[in-house]
Amino acid sequence: MSISDYTETEGLPAADRKPYKPWSYDSANAELYIPRLAAGQDRWFAAALSDQKGKAPSRLAVFAERHQHKHWEMVSVVDLDSQKLPDIALDPDGYATAVPAAGNKRLAADADLLRTAVLDNFATGGTNTGTKVFAPTKASKRQIEVHDKTGTRYGNQGTTVFAGAANRYTDAYALKTTDGGALILFSHTHTQTDAVAHSGLQINPGKDDRAWLHDVPRTSITYTFVCNDAATVPAKAAPSRLIGYNCARTDASGPPVAS
């Protein structure tokens, strides 16, 4: 359970809380991609994980060594839309090749451009950057669908606006693929602001918002989401492919209706 899941659950009455079922993976069935790193480089590796023995991987995770805690941590995990992973380039000893995720001129897009495109999928439905950087995939279509459906759900009674937000998790990880491109894993943060169209209206928080908003009617609510994304990027000028993403709400706030 993530911290955001725990916070949301704590805001519910005991009768409404669903039993927590921890997600586990079959370590014997994990596909590990361990990059050969130079001395002094931060150590990390990627793992394709399955929750059942003999089943194809359904999640892609990154584990990194955290010197301040003196242990390894899972720093990113993404649910995959397809169980077919890109072919990672391996050397004769079976090590993967890490490549720069940011500022890499040998790729059609780097982590910064991918992050911009993902944020545009939410903010505009991909109009400015998203549909130019990404080829249509299940993941990118889902993000655009969030914009299209959520942005119109209040009709003329209210508005919904998505925007990028300060991102605490700027680390990105990239592995070279056999076609010369890369698999890039990165994070982004975005907000969703719902507001009433005019005075006299109010937004009533749902039960899942109780931990942050305490059932107090609001004139607007800004939700914050932290997300992990995974994309394959070609070496030549061509669209990238978003192959999965996960988002979790980490905050919600807004002005109460005047009493």
Side-chain angles (χ1 to χ4, degrees):
M1 179 181 285
S2 68
I3 294 175
S4 59
D5 290 335
Y6 180 79
T7 302
E8 185 175 311
T9 299
E10 282 291 288
L12 296 172
D16 290 342
R17 298 177 188 177
K18 297 178 181 178
Y20 173 57
K21 301 178 77 172
W23 187 87
S24 61
Y25 56 87
D26 177 23
S27 58
N29 200 41
E31 298 177 18
L32 303 182
Y33 301 101
I34 303 173
R36 190 189 291 277
L37 300 169
Q41 284 186 290
D42 291 335
R43 295 199 296 169
W44 64 276
F45 66 91
L49 305 174
S50 172
D51 59 353
Q52 295 182 27
K53 186 175 182 179
K55 188 177 178 181
S58 58
R59 286 184 171 179
L60 196 58
V62 173
F63 295 83
E65 186 178 35
R66 295 306 195 197
H67 299 292
Q68 66 270 35
H69 303 308
K70 297 182 179 179
H71 63 238
W72 287 79
E73 295 180 0
M74 181 188 289
V75 296
S76 174
V77 61
V78 178
D79 289 333
L80 298 169
D81 285 309
S82 171
Q83 294 179 328
K84 179 172 173 34
L85 289 169
D87 294 324
I88 304 299
L90 304 177
D91 68 15
D93 295 320
Y95 285 96
T97 301
V99 295
N104 193 334
K105 302 301 182 183
R106 297 185 178 182
L107 298 173
D110 68 355
D112 292 332
L113 181 56
L114 295 174
R115 190 176 290 113
T116 298
V118 163
L119 290 171
D120 186 61
N121 281 346
F122 286 103
T124 74
T127 301
N128 297 328
T129 313
T131 54
K132 297 178 177 63
V133 171
F134 290 121
T137 62
K138 288 181 180 179
S140 60
K141 287 178 180 178
R142 281 206 317 276
Q143 292 178 345
I144 292 171
E145 188 176 277
V146 169
H147 166 270
D148 293 346
K149 289 188 175 181
T150 306
T152 58
R153 62 180 174 155
Y154 290 124
N156 61 3
Q157 301 296 299
T159 59
T160 295
V161 176
F162 292 91
N167 182 27
R168 294 169 52 197
Y169 308 101
T170 57
D171 291 344
Y173 305 88
L175 294 172
K176 185 178 180 181
T177 51
T178 54
D179 59 4
L183 168 65
I184 299 183
L185 299 107
F186 60 100
S187 299
H188 82 270
T189 302
H190 72 262
T191 59
Q192 171 191 324
T193 301
D194 298 344
V196 299
H198 55 79
S199 61
L201 298 175
Q202 65 185 40
I203 300 174
N204 297 317
K207 67 176 185 178
D208 292 334
D209 304 321
R210 189 174 290 126
W212 294 280
L213 303 173
H214 311 294
D215 291 330
V216 178
R218 313 278 168 158
T219 55
S220 69
I221 300 173
T222 296
Y223 302 95
T224 300
F225 297 90
V226 174
C227 311
N228 292 326
D229 309 84
T232 57
V233 179
K236 59 183 180 181
S240 301
R241 295 177 57 83
L242 192 68
I243 61 174
Y245 79 96
N246 296 81
C247 289
R249 177 176 44 189
T250 59
D251 193 19
S253 62
V257 172
S259 57

